[in-house]
């Protein structure tokens, strides 16, 4: 199946700093990438949908100025958490959709996730 | 609104069979996914149903009834490694995935 990588896998930062998370589709082109956040014992929460070459679409309640998304190429999307605070500590997961894939059913392939801890 | 319901937690015995149900109400339907998620890891794809009926894949099977807005995931010959959360997700008319809260499956020896 298609592979999505995410970097870093784990990051610890001080309150007020910014953190960038990269999501890459390794063996396919992803016109659409998704960013999720998951708090402990809760389900995935979609934060934003990122389309290559255009502005991301943010879900209600997600601050676009705090969570900056850049989808500059068909294989890379980045999420930058600006001025991070302890309440931003969470598990951030990206996924990519391979529209041209052999599965043919809009499957989303997930990256391994990034564990962010803000002190 | 859009809604997906699945039990919060289930317990089963190693070697047994367990069925995890999922009911949904969404704006449009373009398929239903089941994902497995181990603690601290990203979800991994298990199955996809877009037509009514049963899809079998090894120890795992998934069933869909579109008229009833209902699906289930059937796990046979349970193994300890099957302890995980199982997420039901529906692709709506905008091809957006709507996620259930997940069912935590606990396998006991």
């Amino acid at each position: 199946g298609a592979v999505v990588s995410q970097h870093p896998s784990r990051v610890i930062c001080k309150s007020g700093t910014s953190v960038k998370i990269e999501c890459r589709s390794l063996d396919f082109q992803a016109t659409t990438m998704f960013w999720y956040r998951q708090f402990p014992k809760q389900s995935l929460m979609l934060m934003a949908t990122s389309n290559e070459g255009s502005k991301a679409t943010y879900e209600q309640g997600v601050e676009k100025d705090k969570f900056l998304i850049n989808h500059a190429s068909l294989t890379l999307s980045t999420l930058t958490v600006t001025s991070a605070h302890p309440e931003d500590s969470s598990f951030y997961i990206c996924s990519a959709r391979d529209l041209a894939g052999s599965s043919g059913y809009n499957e989303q392939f997930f990256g391994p996730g990034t564990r962010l801890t803000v002190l | 609104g859009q809604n997906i319901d699945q039990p919060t937690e289930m317990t089963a015995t190693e070697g047994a069979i367990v069925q995890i149900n999922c009911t949904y109400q969404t704006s449009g339907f373009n398929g239903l996914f089941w994902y497995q998620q181990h603690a601290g890891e990203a979800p991994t794809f298990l199955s996809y149903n877009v037509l009514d009926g049963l899809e079998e894949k090894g120890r795992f099977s998934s069933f869909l009834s579109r008229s009833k807005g209902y699906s289930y995931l059937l796990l046979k010959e349970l193994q300890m490694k099957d302890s995980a959360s199982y997420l039901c997700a529906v692709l709506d008319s905008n091809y957006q995935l709507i996620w259930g809260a997940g069912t935590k499956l606990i396998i006991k020896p």
Side-chain angles (χ1 to χ4, degrees):
Chain A
V3 179
V4 176
S5 71
Q6 210 172 317
H7 178 80
S9 59
R10 188 179 296 268
V11 59
I12 300 173
C13 68
K14 292 182 179 180
S15 184
T17 60
S18 294
V19 175
K20 179 186 282 189
I21 303 170
E22 291 187 350
C23 178
R24 294 181 185 271
S25 55
L26 297 185
D27 50 3
F28 67 99
Q29 292 184 329
T31 54
T32 305
M33 288 185 172
F34 304 87
W35 286 97
Y36 294 88
R37 180 167 53 182
Q38 187 175 36
F39 293 105
K41 299 184 180 181
Q42 294 185 24
S43 189
L44 297 172
M45 292 174 51
L46 179 65
M47 298 176 67
T49 302
S50 168
N51 292 297
E52 186 266 338
S54 63
K55 291 182 179 180
T57 303
Y58 290 81
E59 295 300 300
Q60 193 171 11
V62 179
E63 299 174 59
K64 61 180 181 180
D65 294 330
K66 179 170 181 65
F67 299 98
L68 301 178
I69 292 173
N70 187 307
H71 193 160
S73 77
L74 287 172
T75 59
L76 173 65
S77 176
T78 61
L79 168 68
T80 301
V81 183
T82 62
S83 187
H85 290 284
E87 57 265 31
D88 298 324
S89 298
S90 186
F91 191 44
Y92 292 86
I93 308 172
C94 74
S95 70
R97 193 158 67 196
D98 178 14
L99 291 178
S102 58
S103 67
Y105 44 71
N106 296 297
E107 178 185 347
Q108 287 187 25
F109 299 95
F110 287 86
T114 297
R115 176 79 55 193
L116 171 63
T117 303
V118 184
L119 302 176
Chain B
Q2 310 208 85
N3 194 48
I4 297 185
D5 287 317
Q6 51 182 130
T8 304
E9 187 174 297
M10 297 182 71
T11 303
T13 305
E14 189 177 15
I17 299 173
V18 70
Q19 177 174 312
I20 303 174
N21 296 323
C22 170
T23 58
Y24 63 89
Q25 291 176 308
T26 56
S27 56
F29 180 83
N30 281 298
L32 184 145
F33 293 85
W34 282 96
Y35 284 87
Q36 181 191 60
Q37 186 178 26
H38 285 100
E41 299 180 12
T44 55
F45 171 81
L46 288 178
S47 68
Y48 171 79
N49 295 68
V50 67
L51 299 176
D52 290 350
L54 187 68
E55 295 277 345
E56 296 186 77
K57 191 185 294 185
R59 294 189 298 116
F60 293 5
S61 302
S62 56
F63 171 84
L64 174 68
S65 169
R66 289 172 295 171
S67 62
K68 295 181 179 179
Y70 167 71
S71 172
Y72 67 72
L73 179 69
L74 191 72
L75 293 78
K76 303 177 184 177
E77 300 169 17
L78 286 170
Q79 302 174 9
M80 297 303 293
K81 66 178 182 179
D82 297 330
S83 292
S85 286
Y86 291 85
L87 307 174
C88 173
V90 172
L91 208 57
D92 70 6
S93 57
N94 295 319
Y95 290 92
Q96 192 92 297
L97 263 184
I98 310 301
W99 292 88
T103 298
K104 182 179 180 181
L105 178 63
I106 300 169
I107 310 296
K108 295 185 175 179

